[in-house]
Amino acid sequence: MPAHLELSPIVAGLWRITSWQLSVAERVRWIEQALELGITTFDHADIYGDYRAEAAFGDALKAAPALRAQMQLVSKCGIRLRSAEHPYRINYYDSSTAYVRSQVEQSLRKLQTEQLDLVLIHRPDYLMDATALADTFAALTREGKVAHWGVSNFTASQFALLHQQHPLLTNQVELSPLKMDALDDGALDQAQQLGLRPMIWSPLGGGHLFTGEDEQAVRLRAEMTAIANRYGVSLGTLAFAWVLRHPSRPHPITGTGRIEGLRDAVAALDVQLDAQDWYAIWTASKGHSVP
């Protein structure tokens, strides 16, 4: 197993890069500014941007190849998503050896790199053969194509099944003040048990925290705005601080193309959130007190 991989405390998510309308030069500058903020881990998936996001990032690395040595590249595979180029009958999951290998090799080409630092199986495939998938992981590691492996959106038992066959680095799960299932479903307990830091997607609830008009979002926004004002930080910074407060030492992932948004996320590393304030946010989200 290669040496342990350190991800940056805040991870930049590239899900929406194709909608940012940045030229190659602007993408290079965006990456440089993220690196200047201490964000060195960049999170991709083969399907992002209708299968075009990785190439958009790769074009920037091709234009400025020295940047590659300063970062950790993460990608995901395992979802067959219908598109013009992929006219599947339905969306489905595929963790077969042939598919995982083909997607890893495609990600390497698109990202203009010889090795991916971390590859995650994007969603649990009900037809996953853990032994066969572990063999695929081992082969691609031996070939130097992937340094580390992990999963995304796996339950604790699904993680344990695969981890028993091949060491996994992380489970990337959803957690935000709006969506708190990971606190109760065992995923974060397992992360602590194994000493494996989880990655967290959608810590701002896909922006719903700022714009949602439903009762939960309105309640949360009111409570969190009051707390954020007390700490002298933005609502976004407080949401990241709430996630970071968890003892599993999670790596939250941003979804923004705005450098200001990245700054907001990084600012959360300096916020020491009081337990009462953390629970006040939990309470506002649930709409009731703890039992």
Side-chain angles (χ1 to χ4, degrees):
M1 193 62 186
H4 182 70
L5 179 69
E6 274 300 321
L7 306 180
S8 55
I10 303 292
V11 173
L14 281 302
W15 174 39
R16 297 192 182 97
I17 187 174
T18 52
S19 66
W20 297 346
Q21 307 290 307
L22 301 178
S23 68
V24 173
E26 287 168 334
R27 276 173 250 160
V28 168
R29 184 66 197 122
W30 185 89
I31 294 168
E32 289 170 342
Q33 288 178 289
L35 291 169
E36 285 160 15
L37 288 169
I39 298 175
T40 61
T41 305
F42 296 86
D43 181 76
H44 297 269
D46 54 358
I47 59 172
Y48 286 170
D50 196 21
Y51 294 91
R52 294 193 308 272
E54 287 179 319
F57 194 89
D59 288 344
L61 291 185
K62 188 178 182 182
L67 293 175
R68 174 62 184 102
Q70 302 173 51
M71 65 176 63
Q72 303 83 45
L73 281 178
V74 181
S75 196
K76 306 178 211 67
C77 65
I79 301 177
R80 286 193 185 251
L81 189 68
R82 289 181 66 199
S83 70
E85 296 87 53
H86 301 83
Y88 307 128
R89 276 187 293 131
I90 51 167
N91 295 334
Y92 68 107
Y93 303 143
D94 188 349
S95 61
S96 66
T97 295
Y99 190 67
V100 170
R101 175 174 285 280
S102 73
Q103 295 311 100
V104 163
E105 290 173 349
Q106 178 181 278
S107 291
L108 289 169
R109 281 193 302 276
K110 289 185 174 180
L111 288 165
Q112 311 268 349
T113 189
E114 290 178 6
Q115 185 182 62
L116 295 165
D117 297 291
L118 173 62
V119 172
L120 311 178
I121 298 301
H122 204 154
R123 291 269 174 184
D125 171 16
Y126 297 111
L127 302 178
M128 175 184 87
D129 178 333
T131 307
L133 185 55
D135 288 346
T136 308
F137 288 177
L140 288 163
T141 303
R142 272 196 312 274
E143 292 163 28
K145 290 172 179 172
V146 180
H148 298 270
W149 295 90
V151 295
S152 182
N153 305 298
F154 272 47
T155 63
S157 62
Q158 289 163 342
F159 187 98
L161 172 65
L162 189 53
H163 186 60
Q164 187 180 18
Q165 302 275 350
H166 189 283
L168 302 175
L169 187 83
T170 190
N171 189 6
Q172 185 177 126
V173 296
E174 183 178 13
L175 178 65
S176 75
L178 286 157
K179 191 91 169 62
M180 304 193 294
D181 295 357
L183 296 174
D184 295 302
D185 66 13
L188 297 181
D189 302 332
Q190 180 182 52
Q192 282 193 83
Q193 180 189 15
L194 298 172
L196 299 173
R197 298 173 68 175
M199 297 174 76
I200 301 298
W201 62 270
S202 208
L204 301 176
H208 195 69
L209 192 59
F210 305 114
T211 57
E213 291 304 323
D214 55 287
E215 279 181 33
Q216 183 197 26
V218 170
R219 254 196 336 262
L220 255 178
R221 211 159 39 239
E223 181 66 46
M224 289 182 70
T225 300
I227 294 171
N229 289 342
R230 237 183 28 249
Y231 281 84
V233 298
S234 71
L235 187 58
T237 296
L238 180 63
F240 276 92
W242 186 86
V243 168
L244 287 164
R245 183 68 169 76
H246 195 271
S248 61
R249 296 169 64 229
H251 294 279
I253 304 167
T254 66
T256 182
R258 295 180 312 107
I259 295 300
E260 200 45 55
L262 298 184
R263 279 201 196 96
D264 263 3
V266 171
L269 298 168
D270 295 322
V271 177
Q272 299 299 314
L273 193 62
D274 172 78
Q276 279 193 87
D277 289 326
W278 191 94
Y279 272 103
I281 292 168
W282 184 95
T283 302
S285 177
K286 294 284 191 184
H288 61 75
S289 164
V290 294

